[in-house]
Amino acid sequence: MPMILIVDDVAPMAQQYAYDVKRVGGFDTMVAHDGNEALDVLQREAVDCVVLDLEMPGLDGFGVLRALRERGADTPVIVYTGTGNYDRCIEAIKLGAYSFIDKAEPMERVVREIANALERGQLVSQVKMLRRQLVADSALRGTSQPMEDLREAIARVAKIPSPVLIVGESGSGKELVARDLHRSGANPDAPFVAINCAALPESLVESELFGHERGAFTGAHAMRKGAFEAAGDGTLFLDEIGELQMPVQAKLLRVLEQRQLSRVGGNRIVPIRARVIAATNRDLDHEVEANRFRQDLYFRLNVHVLLVPPLRDRRSDVPDLVRYFLADTCDRFGMRPKQIDAAALDSLEAYEWRKNNVRELRNAVERMVIATDDDLIRSEHVPREVRGGPPDPSENVSQSFKDQKAEAERRILLQALEQNDWHITRTAKVLGLADHASLLKIMKRHDLEKPD
C-alpha cells in the first residue's frame, strides 16, 4: 500500500488529515510536524507521496521543496494551504510540486489528487528506468573527439553485412560498440548473440559455436543449435577472438568463407545468415607473427576495424560517466542520490585507468558510493590507488598533437564552467575571453552544453 506523508505544523490538523486520507483512500500515512522532520522522514522511509503545508515556522514548505530538488528526489509533492493565496501555490509548482489543493477541499477530491500524483510518479520511474536501459546499452556516452570519431565510424559500417573487428583495451566497451552496431544495422530486431571465446572450455568451443547432433559425444543427448544458428539473421558477437585455439580458428574460417556449417557429429549442411562481429584486446598482428592466430582468418575478420579509445584518451568524458554511474549505482542499491565535488572529480579525471578503463571507473564509483553515508562524495572517498598527481602527457602517445590539444582545451572549458556553475559571462571573464559570445562559440565547437 502506498505511503503518504502529511506535513503540517498544527499537530491536530496533521493527525486528522492523515486519518481521513487513510479512511477514504485506503493509503498508509505518516505525519511530520515541520520541514526538517519531513526531510528526515523522507531520508529514511520509503514515502510515495507528500502532502505539504506551505506555511510553517522554521523550514517552510518552500524550503522543503528546494531541499528535495537539491537532493534530486522525485517523490511527488502536493502542497496545500489554508490562506487562499494561490500565487504562493504557483510558486511551489515552479519549485517542483506536482499540484496544489485547499485545506477545505472535500477528502474525496484530495484522495483523487493523491492517486493522480502516485500514477504520475510511477510513470516518471518507468521512464527513468527505460532511459537507463537505453543508456546502459550504449557505448556512446561522452562527446569527446575520440568518441565522436567512433560514433561516425559505427554509422558508416553499421548497415554493411561484412565482418567487423573491434579492437580496444579490456573494459573499454567493445561489447557495447558491437551492440550499437547491431542496433543501427539492417536487422536490429533480430537476435544479438554474444560469445566470450575466452570463457569457453576448449572441449565445448565447437559445440557452442556450431552446435552438435545427438550422440556426437558423451552427454549429447539431444541435437543442439550453436551460436551461429541462434543468431539467425542477426548478429553473432565473438568477444576475445584471439583466445580461440588454432583448430577452431580453421573451422571458423571455413564457416565464414562458405557461409554454411555442419554441426559437431553430423554431416548435414546448415546455411548461416548472421553477421559476425569480433573483438579483441590483443595485438592480432603480433599474434599472427607468433603463429598463434591464423593470418587468413585475421584478413577475413578485419574487413572493417573499429578502434575503441581507452578512457585516458578521452578524459573529458569522465565527469559525465561518473555522474551516470553515480545515479545508476544509487538507484540499483535503493539509496538516496549522491553528488560528487570538484576535487574528487579532478582525481578521477587525472587517473590513467589502465587496468580496466570504463569498467574500472564504474567499480571505483560503486566503491565510493558504499564508502560514504553523506550525500556528497569528496576526494577522501576516492579509492586510495586512484588518488595522485596529474597524468604524464608523454604517455599519451596514441593521440596526435592536434587531438591532445583539443582534448586539453575541452577539459579546461569543462572545469571552468563547472567551477562557475555554468554561468557563461562569469566563466568567460575567468578564462580571459573577450565576451560571453566567444565562450559560446568555443563551447559549440566542443559540443558542450549545460547538463540537465
Side-chain angles (χ1 to χ4, degrees):
M1 191 61 63
M3 175 63 71
I4 313 302
L5 174 64
I6 311 298
V7 186
D8 198 314
D9 63 301
V10 181
M13 177 72 179
Q15 296 292 346
Q16 183 63 49
Y17 218 84
Y19 172 79
D20 289 339
V21 166
K22 185 172 185 178
R23 174 179 58 82
V24 177
F27 303 120
D28 291 332
T29 57
M30 300 178 64
V31 170
H33 297 113
D34 60 50
N36 288 315
E37 184 183 354
L39 292 176
D40 289 341
V41 172
L42 288 165
Q43 188 167 315
R44 66 174 187 268
E45 301 289 346
V47 174
D48 299 292
C49 181
V50 180
V51 178
L52 175 68
D53 187 14
L54 283 178
E55 316 300 334
M56 295 185 293
L59 186 68
D60 62 7
F62 296 102
V64 172
L65 288 169
R66 291 188 186 95
L68 291 178
R69 186 169 64 178
E70 289 173 2
R71 291 182 182 180
D74 54 12
T75 306
V77 178
I78 300 171
V79 296
Y80 74 164
T81 178
T83 65
N85 188 341
Y86 294 112
D87 289 337
R88 302 268 287 167
C89 294
I90 296 300
E91 185 181 346
I93 297 293
K94 292 178 180 178
L95 284 173
Y98 167 71
S99 64
F100 62 87
I101 53 178
D102 193 285
K103 290 185 179 182
E105 295 270 11
M107 189 50 61
E108 289 77 12
R109 159 87 169 81
V110 174
V111 167
R112 188 163 60 251
E113 196 67 20
I114 292 174
N116 291 339
L118 291 170
E119 183 178 357
R120 179 181 180 277
Q122 290 174 349
L123 289 173
V124 169
S125 297
Q126 290 171 1
V127 168
K128 285 187 174 182
M129 181 184 69
L130 291 172
R131 283 177 176 169
R132 280 195 300 271
Q133 290 173 351
L134 287 172
V135 171
D137 280 343
S138 175
L140 305 183
R141 291 201 66 83
T143 55
S144 62
Q145 191 58 49
M147 289 307 288
E148 290 293 341
D149 294 342
L150 178 59
R151 187 180 289 112
E152 290 177 8
I154 290 174
R156 283 197 303 270
V157 304
K159 296 189 183 299
I160 299 172
S162 308
V164 176
L165 180 63
I166 303 172
V167 180
E169 296 179 5
S170 177
S172 58
K174 295 186 292 296
E175 180 171 345
L176 296 178
V177 172
R179 290 183 181 275
D180 279 344
L181 280 168
H182 173 74
R183 189 165 41 246
S184 302
N187 297 303
D189 296 328
F192 177 92
V193 177
I195 296 291
N196 187 335
C197 299
L200 293 176
E202 186 176 346
S203 59
L204 295 178
V205 173
E206 290 192 32
S207 173
E208 289 293 325
L209 290 177
F210 313 119
H212 62 252
E213 299 289 353
R214 179 181 179 182
F217 50 83
T218 303
H221 301 301
M223 186 277 288
R224 182 180 184 277
K225 293 181 179 181
F228 271 97
E229 290 182 80
D233 292 317
T235 300
L236 174 60
F237 174 56
L238 300 176
D239 198 9
E240 304 301 345
I241 189 74
E243 307 299 324
L244 281 181
Q245 298 298 313
M246 294 293 274
V248 183
Q249 291 181 30
K251 189 165 185 179
L252 175 60
L253 173 64
R254 190 161 57 251
V255 168
L256 292 176
E257 288 178 337
Q258 300 175 359
R259 301 300 294 170
Q260 61 185 26
L261 59 80
S262 57
R263 303 187 189 105
V264 177
N267 297 315
R268 187 160 64 92
I269 300 301
V270 179
I272 61 168
R273 304 177 303 278
R275 180 193 197 181
V276 173
I277 299 175
T280 183
N281 58 11
R282 290 195 177 199
D283 181 348
L284 290 189
D285 285 309
H286 176 72
E287 295 298 299
V288 168
E289 292 176 2
N291 293 319
R292 289 190 293 264
F293 200 85
R294 295 181 62 105
Q295 186 178 54
D296 45 7
L297 177 58
Y298 180 40
F299 289 154
R300 174 65 62 174
L301 290 172
N302 73 344
V303 178
H304 303 282
V305 179
L306 296 183
L307 301 175
V308 184
L311 188 53
R312 62 184 173 276
D313 284 357
R314 56 185 189 103
R315 295 176 192 271
S316 61
D317 291 332
V318 169
D320 180 46
L321 287 164
V322 169
R323 293 187 184 98
Y324 167 69
F325 290 142
L326 270 178
D328 179 68
T329 302
C330 292
D331 182 71
R332 284 189 292 112
F333 294 166
M335 304 172 70
R336 298 189 311 275
K338 294 181 183 292
Q339 304 296 321
I340 185 167
D341 70 11
L345 267 180
D346 288 344
S347 294
L348 296 172
E349 197 170 347
Y351 187 60
E352 286 289 297
W353 305 108
R354 287 186 179 274
K355 295 178 182 177
N356 221 348
N357 283 281
V358 178
R359 191 181 297 124
E360 185 183 1
L361 174 61
R362 182 189 64 198
N363 293 342
V365 170
E366 182 170 318
R367 288 166 61 188
M368 290 189 296
V369 169
I370 299 300
T372 176
D373 294 326
D374 298 335
D375 291 334
L376 182 66
I377 293 175
R378 301 178 178 84
S379 56
E380 60 263 30
H381 302 129
V382 176
R384 186 183 303 274
E385 67 272 16
V386 175
R387 301 177 211 162
D392 183 359
S394 64
E395 295 182 359
N396 197 12
V397 296
S398 61
Q399 287 181 295
S400 69
F401 175 74
K402 181 180 178 182
D403 289 341
Q404 291 185 53
K405 182 180 177 182
E407 178 73 4
E409 183 180 72
R410 190 173 190 276
R411 288 171 57 198
I412 292 170
L413 281 177
L414 265 177
Q415 185 177 24
L417 286 163
E418 289 173 349
Q419 288 177 348
N420 290 278
D421 297 323
W422 289 79
H423 191 285
I424 302 299
T425 302
R426 188 162 62 238
T427 304
K429 185 177 181 181
V430 168
L431 292 172
L433 298 174
D435 51 28
H436 73 282
S438 301
L439 177 56
L440 289 172
K441 185 182 298 183
I442 301 173
M443 288 173 62
K444 185 176 181 180
R445 186 168 72 239
H446 289 283
D447 196 22
L448 287 174
E449 294 181 357
K450 183 177 181 179
D452 294 337

